[in-house]
Amino acid sequence: MVSVNEHADGLVVGVDSGGSGLRIALAGAVGGGVLAERVSREPVRTGSGGISAGHFLEQVLPAVGDLREAFPGRPVVAVAVGAAGMATLGDELRAELPGALAGAWGVRRLVLAADAVTAYAGALGQRPGVVVAGGTGLIALGTDLTSWRRADGWGHLLGDCGSGAWIGRAGLEAAMRAYDGRRGGSETLLARAEKRFGPAAGLAGVLYPRTDRPAVLASFAPEVADCAATDPVAAGILARAAAHIAEAAEAACPPEPGAAVALTGGLFRMGEPLLGPLRAALGESLPTARAVEPAGDPLAGAVALAAAHATGTLRLPEDPALLRLFGARPATGGASAQVGAGARERARVRSARGHEGGGTEAGAESGHRGAEDA
């Protein structure tokens, strides 16, 4: 472990890179207190090599240089980058950033993480639990500090169940059912859809050519929430969304009772129409887990990871795709658990407990499902 005195004057850089651009923070290595921030509305480009390291550096190096002018003589001792797509599109960043940042700032300690990991670190820090990050898409990520457990996050065609895009699509389907005269339709949602997108007969032509289809679908989710108090179809959509979110949280949550659960992201700003049924669903799925408010956002998580790496106190598990460390020790290479592993492990433990000492399956389940609360 690095002594606190060694980096008493050191700085760390945290970067949150996503579809809406970059956020960059300069902080003290000891304590991680943020000193200055910079925002860029230009998302980092992707190309044949994945996320472009060159375009990333073109934005980050000058921005950090400007921020450091107010803190002359203080070295950058660690950097953490959280990026959307890091798991599948981060090869170029992993190959080029360690050398580039060492050359630019002399920094040797680098954390490269998926944005779900920085969301986790921002929300829960370095304790066991699960974080559900919900917005246009949705992913649940959990850890017992030994390995990671992921559920969903597969995009609007294969998953993201309960997300903004999922809710919006379900609301528009209900609108089209009403337009056709099929069961399960909502005249209220039909009126909202036509006000936002134009005549229902032309809705497919409006949506299908869009390259930003998930975001367009998600833009209708607040309309569903607005209608939920008086429209049973809209309320039913949110109830199903809540069930999907709870299922993802249960699958990703470590099996130990008392694990912390946090919800983060713009989806949960929809308020009580979604949060009410979600609390009920989580209470059934994860009755002994502890629901907590997220302490911070993904940028705060990136800063926390950088500060922990700088001082040798990082406890979150390394993973080839989700969390890579450079400069302090080699990546462990441990793989994250497959989707549903959390639920399968809980089932295995419940079954084993049911066979030990003659306990019933129901009794084992009621005694062990507690770590599954989001």
Side-chain angles (χ1 to χ4, degrees):
M1 182 179 296
V2 179
S3 69
V4 171
N5 290 334
E6 181 178 342
H7 290 323
D9 293 327
L11 299 171
V12 297
V13 174
V15 182
D16 176 34
S17 175
S20 58
L22 284 168
R23 295 189 301 152
I24 303 164
L26 193 67
V30 178
V34 174
L35 303 171
E37 295 187 22
R38 179 67 60 86
V39 176
S40 169
R41 299 299 180 189
E42 182 180 3
V44 177
R45 293 191 294 266
T46 59
S48 58
I51 303 168
S52 170
H55 191 223
F56 176 89
L57 292 166
E58 286 173 11
Q59 296 194 67
V60 170
L61 293 183
V64 173
D66 291 343
L67 294 176
R68 291 183 67 195
E69 288 181 359
F71 308 95
R74 297 182 64 176
V76 175
V77 296
V79 179
V81 177
M86 180 72 79
T88 54
L89 299 172
D91 286 348
E92 189 172 309
L93 294 182
R94 287 185 281 266
E96 298 188 22
L97 288 194
L101 296 179
W105 302 328
V107 64
R108 301 294 178 184
R109 292 173 178 261
L110 172 65
V111 182
L112 295 181
D115 57 344
V117 172
T118 51
Y120 186 100
L124 292 183
Q126 300 198 72
R127 53 181 160 164
V130 62
V131 169
V132 180
T136 296
L138 186 134
I139 184 171
L141 191 68
T143 183
D144 57 3
L145 302 185
T146 300
S147 63
W148 292 100
R149 302 172 183 272
R150 166 187 172 162
D152 214 334
W154 303 122
H156 75 293
L157 292 179
L158 299 178
D160 286 355
C161 299
S163 68
W166 186 95
I167 293 170
R169 192 212 61 80
L172 291 172
E173 179 190 347
M176 298 310 296
R177 285 180 172 274
Y179 179 75
D180 290 343
R182 290 178 286 153
R183 294 177 182 175
S186 166
E187 293 289 344
T188 302
L189 291 176
L190 175 59
R192 294 286 186 114
E194 290 193 320
K195 183 177 180 180
R196 176 174 284 269
F197 298 110
L203 184 56
V206 170
L207 287 177
Y208 290 171
R210 296 286 294 261
T211 58
D212 59 344
R213 220 169 20 251
V216 177
L217 292 171
S219 73
F220 194 67
E223 303 283 358
V224 178
D226 286 346
C227 297
T230 57
D231 181 8
V233 173
I237 290 170
L238 295 183
R240 294 198 304 276
H244 285 310
I245 296 168
E247 288 169 357
E250 180 182 11
C253 191
E256 294 79 7
V261 181
L263 308 174
T264 184
L267 176 68
F268 303 110
R269 290 196 290 270
M270 291 174 64
E272 204 56 27
L274 176 62
L275 295 179
L278 181 53
R279 281 192 295 269
L282 290 172
E284 293 181 3
S285 298
L286 300 167
T288 67
R290 296 179 296 109
V292 301
E293 289 295 319
D297 65 6
L299 181 59
V303 169
L305 291 175
H309 195 29
T311 55
T313 58
L314 185 57
R315 298 170 56 219
L316 294 177
E318 295 179 62
D319 179 275
L322 295 175
L323 179 63
R324 290 283 302 275
L325 304 185
F326 300 83
R329 54 194 170 91
T332 62
S336 57
Q338 296 296 316
V339 172
R344 288 197 296 271
E345 175 64 13
R346 281 185 291 276
R348 184 191 68 77
V349 172
R350 289 196 294 267
S351 177
R353 289 188 174 184
H355 290 293
E356 294 174 1
T360 65
E361 181 177 354
E365 178 170 355
S366 64
H368 191 72
R369 288 183 66 196
E372 318 159 5
D373 191 354

